């Protein structure tokens, strides 16, 4: 399969590109691109995306779009941005397929709705903002409130 290298100019077509972190812009472009659909694509309903072949994704896609080829690092990045791996329940048992598609979802990562991407916030940022709003942010060095 001949895969194109990520084109940053393509990501600029997103409506809110200046407020969207590079990782999310790359992810959006990657899932939108049709030339990668045999490896990563939107789920039919557009509410999540599927990594159809984790091994090929790590070997062929990650190094071209990101600075690594480690699937665990990619999943960690998704988790930090609030994405969740979809768990499918089949006959009252949790179904986890090792070699099957892996589905990821986020309430603000939906097909055709790139304007929602700016609402995706890192978990650590959300934690700090909450602590500041509640006047509970503590200096780690002095163990006292910063505000």
């Amino acid at each position: 399969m001949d895969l194109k290298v990520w084109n940053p100019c393509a990501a600029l077509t997103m409506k809110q590109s200046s407020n969207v972190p590079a990782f999310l812009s790359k992810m959006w472009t990657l899932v939108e691109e049709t030339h990668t659909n045999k490896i990563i694509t939107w789920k039919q309903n557009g509410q999540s995306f599927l990594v159809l072949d984790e091994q090929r994704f790590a070997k062929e896609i990650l190094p071209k779009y990101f600075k690594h080829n480690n699937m665990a690092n990619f999943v960690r990045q998704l988790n930090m941005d609030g994405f969740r791996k979809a768990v499918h329940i089949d006959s009252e048992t949790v179904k986890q397929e090792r070699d099957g598609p892996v589905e990821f979802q986020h309430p603000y990562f939906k097909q055709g709705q790139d304007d929602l991407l700016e609402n995706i916030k890192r978990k650590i940022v959300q934690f700090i903002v909450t602590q500041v709003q509640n006047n509970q942010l503590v200096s780690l060095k002095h163990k006292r409130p910063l505000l």
Side-chain angles (χ1 to χ4, degrees), residues 26-38:
K26 289 179 185 182
M27 274 302 307
W28 179 266
T29 302
L30 178 59
V31 178
E32 284 285 303
E33 291 286 335
T34 57
H35 71 275
T36 60
N37 279 352
K38 292 184 179 184

Side-chain angles (χ1 to χ4, degrees), residues 13-30:
T13 61
M14 295 181 347
K15 299 174 194 129
Q16 301 293 332
S17 61
S18 63
N19 297 328
V20 177
F23 176 79
L24 294 174
S25 295
K26 289 179 185 182
M27 274 302 307
W28 179 266
T29 302
L30 178 59

Side-chain angles (χ1 to χ4, degrees), residues 36-52:
T36 60
N37 279 352
K38 292 184 179 184
I39 300 173
I40 183 171
T41 188
W42 288 108
K43 190 170 179 181
Q44 200 167 19
N45 64 10
Q47 301 297 302
S48 58
F49 69 91
L50 302 167
V51 176
L52 301 172

Side-chain angles (χ1 to χ4, degrees), residues 6-7 10 15 19 27 29 35 49 53-54 60 65 68 72 77 93 95 97 105 110 112 118 124-125 127-128 145:
W6 177 68
N7 178 359
K15 299 174 194 129
N19 297 328
M27 274 302 307
T29 302
H35 71 275
F49 69 91
D53 185 331
E54 284 187 68
E60 299 174 28
Y65 286 75
H68 62 84
Q77 177 78 39
T93 59
K95 194 176 185 182
E97 300 170 12
Q105 56 193 18
K110 299 190 183 295
E118 68 180 11
I124 189 69
V125 171
F127 173 76
I128 291 172

Side-chain angles (χ1 to χ4, degrees), residues 40-85:
I40 183 171
T41 188
W42 288 108
K43 190 170 179 181
Q44 200 167 19
N45 64 10
Q47 301 297 302
S48 58
F49 69 91
L50 302 167
V51 176
L52 301 172
D53 185 331
E54 284 187 68
Q55 289 181 345
R56 285 187 65 198
F57 182 74
K59 183 179 177 183
E60 299 174 28
I61 303 274
L62 285 179
K64 292 181 181 180
Y65 286 75
F66 304 100
K67 294 179 182 178
H68 62 84
N69 65 350
N70 188 316
M71 187 66 181
N73 287 349
F74 175 76
V75 171
R76 189 175 304 116
Q77 177 78 39
L78 288 172
N79 288 336
M80 284 176 31
D81 287 333
F83 285 79
R84 294 286 172 249
K85 192 174 185 179

Side-chain angles (χ1 to χ4, degrees), residues 80-94:
M80 284 176 31
D81 287 333
F83 285 79
R84 294 286 172 249
K85 192 174 185 179
V87 177
H88 299 282
I89 300 174
D90 184 31
S91 303
E92 300 181 15
T93 59
V94 176

